[in-house]
Amino acid sequence: MVPLGPFEPAPHLAVAVSGGADSLALALLARDWAGAAGGMVTGLVVDHGLRPASADEARLTLRRLAGIGIAARLLVLEGLARGPGLAARARTARYAALEGACRQAGILHLLLGHHAADQAETVAMRLLARSGPAGLAGMAALAETEAVRLLRPLLTVPPARLRATLRAAGLDWVEDPSNADPAAARARLRLLRADRGGTGPATRALVAAARLRGAARAGAECTAAGELAARARLHPEGFAVLTPGPIGATALGALLRMLGGQAHAPSPRQLAVLAANPRPATLAGVYLLPAGRTGPPGALLLVREP
């Protein structure tokens, strides 16, 4: 947790608890960490309603959290219909519910139970999807949204360690059958890895690669922040003015993503061309126009498309 700080005095942490071993172990560890700092933990249990047993499993998880002294809240997702993109839609709805609960309770930190095997699978999936260097860094240990700080403190911890922690504490957990459903790409990769404990050499290599890529990504983001501080002027009405001249592709991508309200930056190829020679264009839902009176000669005005 220390590298993910700083934290306020007596921190209040929220933990997303599915009822599985990983998130339940995270809740137990977070309880002890926050308690030592004079703080507290709130569990957030989401019932997605996609399996008949989900409601019972959610109530069982609430009882288990209460048994280890963690107050918890049940969040019920509604309107998730089966069909194309179900996993992505369910994930989006789950994160929205979790962040909404944190905002309502005034909690700044939301802990997620992704571990080393999850990170290895994420990197493998992005390799198959031909992601760029930033994507191959895998999941970030710290990411900030509009509402909360998303923290993943267990990304280097094998799941076998987490199960051992629960057994030592005399705690049981819920096994989600969808985690072994070969219809899902992640589950197929999990079966191919044949490393349920997350301690094998392939898993360790992928996690180590993600850490190196993550450090490089963080460095690039710091450089981009410095460039934007020097080159871009943001206006509260939702547009920006960019001074003339080439700019780093990472910096331009971050600016376009923010102004266009996109989840991701444009493709590296498109960004590289425009960053080397910024000019009037349309990219990622953003108009780049001559700034005119809003900036110095040669500056560009960046504004979201209608």
Side-chain angles (χ1 to χ4, degrees):
M1 291 291 284
V2 172
L4 305 180
F7 295 89
E8 68 275 18
H12 188 177
L13 311 177
V15 181
V17 186
S18 66
D22 314 320
S23 59
L24 193 59
L26 175 61
L28 181 65
L29 295 166
R31 179 203 66 180
D32 294 346
W33 185 87
M40 62 179 292
V41 165
T42 295
L44 298 176
V45 180
V46 177
D47 175 13
H48 49 67
L50 296 176
R51 291 186 291 104
S54 67
D56 290 338
E57 291 171 355
R59 287 191 290 269
L60 175 59
T61 301
L62 291 172
R63 292 196 296 272
R64 284 173 173 161
L65 289 171
I68 57 174
I70 296 178
R73 178 181 170 190
L74 177 63
L75 308 175
V76 179
L77 302 185
E78 297 179 348
L80 277 177
R82 294 196 174 276
L86 176 60
R89 288 187 284 111
R91 182 169 57 251
T92 298
R94 177 172 175 263
Y95 276 96
L98 291 167
E99 291 186 21
C102 288
R103 186 196 297 270
Q104 187 178 27
I107 299 174
L108 299 176
H109 318 285
L110 174 59
L111 274 63
L112 305 171
H114 299 111
H115 50 60
D118 294 326
Q119 182 73 304
E121 290 160 6
T122 297
V123 174
M125 291 177 72
R126 292 183 181 179
L127 279 166
L128 292 172
R130 299 182 179 180
S131 291
L136 295 180
M139 292 178 282
L142 165 62
E144 294 183 350
T145 74
E146 183 181 328
V148 296
R149 304 171 75 241
L150 297 175
L151 307 181
R152 296 182 177 92
L154 303 178
L155 287 178
T156 61
V157 180
R161 290 279 301 277
L162 301 175
R163 286 166 170 76
T165 296
L166 290 181
R167 292 189 187 99
L171 288 172
D172 201 359
W173 58 87
V174 171
E175 290 286 0
D176 185 347
S178 64
N179 289 332
D181 182 0
R186 185 177 288 272
R188 292 196 298 273
L189 279 172
R190 187 171 298 135
L191 292 171
L192 288 170
R193 268 193 320 110
D195 181 19
R196 189 168 184 269
T199 58
T203 300
R204 293 199 305 270
L206 286 167
V207 171
R211 291 186 71 178
L212 290 174
R213 293 277 190 179
R217 179 171 66 186
E221 289 173 351
C222 286
T223 299
E227 282 189 276
L228 291 173
R231 298 281 308 279
R233 187 171 77 248
L234 302 176
H235 291 257
E237 295 83 1
F239 65 90
V241 174
L242 183 66
T243 57
I247 187 171
T250 301
L252 180 60
L255 189 60
L256 291 173
R257 186 181 70 234
M258 184 272 292
L259 291 172
Q262 306 293 328
H264 303 287
S267 75
R269 182 183 60 81
Q270 291 175 306
L271 274 177
V273 171
L274 191 56
N277 180 27
R279 62 194 183 282
T282 303
L283 184 59
V286 177
Y287 287 139
L288 289 82
L289 309 164
R293 291 178 295 174
T294 63
L300 290 173
L301 174 70
L302 283 73
V303 60
R304 185 184 295 195
E305 287 188 89

